[in-house]
Amino acid sequence: MSKPAVNLPDDPAALKAMIAELQAENAKITATLRVHDQLVQALRLRIAKLQKLAFGKSSEKIEREIEQLELALEDLLVAVAEDDDAPIDEGQDEPASDESSAPALRRRPRVSDATLRERHELDPGTCCPDCGGDLRVVGEDVSELLDMIAAQMKVVQIARIKKSCRRCEKMVQEPAPSRPIPGSMAGPNLLAHVLVSKFDDHLPLYRQHEIFERMGADIPESTLVGWCGRAMKTLSPLIERIEADIMGSDLLHADDTPIRVLDRSRRDKGLGKGVKQGRIWAYVRDQRPWAGGAPPGAVYRFAPDWKEEHVLSHLADAHGILQADGYKGYAKLYAPEPGGVPRLREAACWAHLRRDFHDFWTSTKSEIAREALDRIGKLYDIERDINGQPADVRHAARQRLSQPKVVSFFAWSEQQLLRIPGKSDLAKAFRYGLSREDAFSLFLTDGRVAIDNNPAERALRPIGIGRKNWLFAGAYTGAETLARAMTVIETAKLNGLDPQAYLADILDRIHDHKVNRLDELLPWNWVPLTAAHSKAA
């Protein structure tokens, strides 16, 4: 810390001693910051490596390590920011994703144009402070300060006025409006907030209870539990329609991820023994990359284990194309039926194959793995240029540009297997690709098919985020509720909706909505009640 100038001594020797002391202090601070910076970079590299490994057999263990490292990195960055006295430069543009050295927290916050704006004017008055002359406006300098309005609870009193007829003494009163949960005092906006906080922001109900208490509302956890369950029951007809519509598609992305579930039958076995590992499957329809007409959506299904019977049940009525990884449980779905034609055709994921080569190259710097990455990268270069184009345009471009590269890649792969050890991970990657050559080539013959399964992998990211907060689901039924809640919330998000605003509107009107017009409330058809009234007027 520098000393005030008024306290500086006149003695040159004392000044030199003070300068030397400051230089030593500055060197110490610089060394500390350098160590912090090196640790930050090391943590980032470790996290990046683990994230690429998170799809392997030991993914659960790796994910727990990632969570701990991310927490450590966050704490370290906060400590570095606390010691930084320089004015913060939030900048104007976001650093490129490939710049590993880009400083954290140096992107200017983005605020939607729809965000409430409050104008504070600092007017110098009407008279010049020097000569007293009249001032005229010649312009203004406007800067922005991002602030937040704290959430507030409110009690809506519904007063039903009773009136009697002066002539016949008939009592007249408006009927009580329907409620999202009959007999409950939970309003639609509050219920939507609780659902989104629990199933999208992954905030457990006991934490929500504490937050509401600070806002002046003591809502017992048992009440919040009841609200969630009954609200999900209210939304069930809508969720069933979403599931039927998405699962009836002729092109689906599929993927799964582990989820730990509390097994109450084994709670007496000791610490850590009462938790079993289940699976959450995600089935995604996303036709936006080829300008398809069907809206995007995601369906989540829970299963207590990883047996093939679950995917066979989930996809019992599915026809068309399934884009997924190499999970053996899908094999029966691709088998030819009595007519000789399979019910589902397999589309493989080039990102999954690329990941295998990347992991080997990262650990060994193999030139063969590097060339495999370069060859696959050229396919992705073509895909970036045709993303969002109609299916026929994508098909034509792939036939002209991608097909020769794919044929060359697999011919080259067969040659490399003769040069490398057969039991190496690199050989396994080549054999994985060659054994599914038809599945990896399907995207060349159908412009609707994606080059990879990233839509399904993206759909499962919220599960990974949630695991950091709730660690495990309370029971199989709880995991099933989680899957159904994510179906409606993630589908709303895929259609560009604010899930809280959407659920609040749906919960407010679903009981009074005609059953034969329930499709009007699906995320891709939804019009807010206020907008619907304005349009009708």
Side-chain angles (χ1 to χ4, degrees):
M1 182 69 66
S2 60
K3 298 179 181 180
V6 292
N7 296 329
L8 291 178
D10 296 328
D11 183 9
L15 283 173
K16 289 181 180 180
M18 185 178 293
I19 292 172
E21 181 183 347
L22 290 173
Q23 287 176 336
E25 182 180 348
N26 184 60
K28 184 178 179 181
I29 293 173
T30 302
T32 302
L33 290 175
R34 189 180 301 114
V35 170
H36 280 174
D37 186 60
Q38 291 172 351
L39 184 54
V40 166
Q41 297 304 322
L43 285 171
R44 283 177 171 163
L45 287 172
R46 179 62 178 161
I47 290 171
K49 287 182 179 180
L50 288 172
Q51 285 173 336
K52 294 182 183 302
L53 294 173
F55 299 91
K57 295 181 180 179
S58 58
S59 60
E60 188 176 352
K61 180 179 178 182
I62 291 171
E63 285 171 359
R64 285 199 297 271
E65 185 174 349
I66 290 174
E67 292 164 10
Q68 295 302 315
L69 289 174
E70 286 178 336
L71 289 173
L73 177 60
E74 180 180 284
D75 290 342
L76 181 60
L77 290 173
V78 170
V80 171
E82 184 180 359
D83 291 335
D84 189 358
D85 293 329
I88 187 168
D89 177 17
E90 291 174 345
Q92 297 293 330
D93 301 313
E94 184 174 8
S97 59
D98 59 346
E99 294 179 8
S100 59
S101 60
L105 305 177
R106 288 298 184 267
R107 179 182 62 74
R108 188 173 181 81
R110 298 193 186 100
V111 184
S112 167
D113 292 338
T115 301
L116 177 67
R117 278 169 168 77
E118 180 180 300
R119 181 179 170 93
H120 291 185
E121 290 189 355
L122 303 179
D123 193 334
T126 59
C127 298
C128 176
D130 288 343
C131 68
D134 293 338
L135 297 178
R136 66 179 184 277
V137 176
V138 294
E140 64 180 13
D141 294 323
V142 179
S143 60
E144 292 189 339
L145 178 70
L146 190 59
D147 209 348
M148 182 175 177
I149 302 172
Q152 253 185 335
M153 283 282 185
K154 72 175 181 180
V155 177
V156 179
Q157 293 184 335
I158 301 171
R160 299 165 55 215
I161 309 300
K162 293 181 180 180
K163 294 185 177 181
S164 65
C165 177
R166 294 182 181 274
R167 179 179 299 175
C168 67
E169 299 298 325
K170 177 181 174 63
M171 297 295 294
V172 181
Q173 186 181 37
E174 287 294 304
S178 61
R179 300 188 176 211
I181 301 174
S184 169
M185 69 181 298
N189 287 286
L190 177 56
L191 282 176
H193 176 82
V194 171
L195 290 177
V196 172
S197 295
K198 177 173 175 57
F199 297 115
D200 191 34
D201 299 330
H202 311 290
L203 195 63
L205 293 180
Y206 77 88
R207 293 183 186 169
Q208 295 192 49
H209 163 74
E210 294 171 356
I211 293 171
F212 292 145
E213 200 166 32
R214 291 199 300 268
M215 296 165 62
D218 182 9
I219 308 175
E221 290 177 50
S222 58
T223 301
L224 292 172
V225 168
W227 285 358
C228 282
R230 295 297 296 273
M232 289 302 300
K233 184 177 181 180
T234 299
L235 295 170
S236 288
L238 194 66
I239 296 172
E240 290 171 2
R241 299 218 177 190
I242 293 174
E243 292 175 342
D245 196 285
I246 300 299
M247 299 304 288
S249 305
D250 60 356
L251 198 161
L252 284 173
H253 294 267
D255 200 4
D256 65 277
T257 191
I259 176 175
R260 302 204 307 163
V261 184
L262 190 63
D263 185 357
R264 299 185 184 276
S265 66
R266 303 172 60 188
R267 60 187 174 186
D268 59 342
K269 301 295 183 181
L271 185 64
K273 302 293 186 181
V275 177
K276 296 181 67 175
Q277 182 168 283
R279 310 294 293 193
I280 290 279
W281 266 272
Y283 300 97
V284 180
R285 175 179 69 193
D286 191 352
Q287 300 183 358
R288 292 173 295 180
W290 52 275
V299 172
Y300 295 82
R301 296 280 173 83
F302 167 76
D305 51 52
W306 207 20
K307 295 179 180 178
E308 66 176 21
E309 62 193 54
H310 303 298
V311 294
L312 298 180
S313 172
H314 300 164
L315 299 167
D317 299 322
H319 293 78
I321 296 172
L322 180 68
Q323 189 141 28
D325 58 20
Y327 170 55
K328 294 180 180 178
Y330 299 125
K332 291 183 180 179
L333 297 170
Y334 306 138
E337 294 193 324
V341 178
R343 183 162 54 87
L344 283 169
R345 288 187 294 163
E346 178 187 8
C349 173
W350 280 88
H352 191 91
L353 179 61
R354 181 190 180 279
R355 195 175 298 129
D356 291 340
F357 289 115
H358 184 274
D359 292 344
F360 190 82
W361 177 79
T362 301
S363 59
T364 66
K365 302 302 178 184
S366 162
E367 293 183 3
I368 295 177
R370 178 72 260 177
E371 184 173 350
L373 291 174
D374 292 341
R375 287 172 177 263
I376 296 174
K378 291 177 181 178
L379 295 176
Y380 274 89
D381 291 340
I382 298 169
E383 290 299 309
R384 275 189 287 271
D385 292 337
I386 61 176
N387 186 48
Q389 298 294 321
D392 56 344
V393 174
R394 285 156 60 96
H395 175 258
R398 287 168 172 174
Q399 287 290 306
R400 179 169 53 89
L401 301 173
S402 302
Q403 186 168 20
K405 290 180 172 56
V406 172
V407 172
S408 174
F409 175 82
F410 285 115
W412 174 78
S413 297
E414 290 179 342
Q415 295 171 3
Q416 303 315 304
L417 279 176
L418 302 175
R419 302 174 51 194
I420 60 179
K423 294 184 179 181
S424 68
D425 289 339
L426 184 58
K428 290 178 183 177
F430 278 123
R431 283 196 294 269
Y432 176 81
L434 289 167
S435 65
R436 289 176 168 79
E437 183 174 352
D438 290 342
F440 278 107
S441 302
L442 185 60
F443 82 108
L444 300 172
T445 61
D446 192 328
R448 302 173 305 157
V449 179
I451 191 173
D452 55 37
N453 197 32
N454 284 349
E457 293 190 2
R458 285 194 298 268
L460 288 173
R461 284 178 186 169
I463 298 291
I465 296 172
R467 278 191 295 245
K468 298 178 182 180
N469 285 1
W470 37 259
L471 301 180
F472 50 78
Y476 289 160
T477 52
E480 289 166 359
T481 300
L482 169 66
R484 294 169 58 248
M486 289 189 63
T487 294
V488 65
I489 289 173
E490 293 301 320
T491 298
K493 289 162 66 175
L494 283 171
N495 285 273
L497 305 180
D498 173 358
Q500 186 166 323
Y502 170 68
L503 289 179
D505 186 77
I506 297 301
L507 289 166
D508 190 33
R509 57 198 282 204
I510 192 169
H511 286 309
D512 300 322
H513 206 80
K514 293 182 179 179
V515 176
N516 61 352
R517 295 173 56 187
L518 197 59
D519 285 353
E520 295 175 352
L521 302 183
L522 292 171
W524 47 83
N525 296 329
W526 174 67
V527 177
L529 189 59
T530 52
H533 286 167
S534 300
K535 187 175 181 180

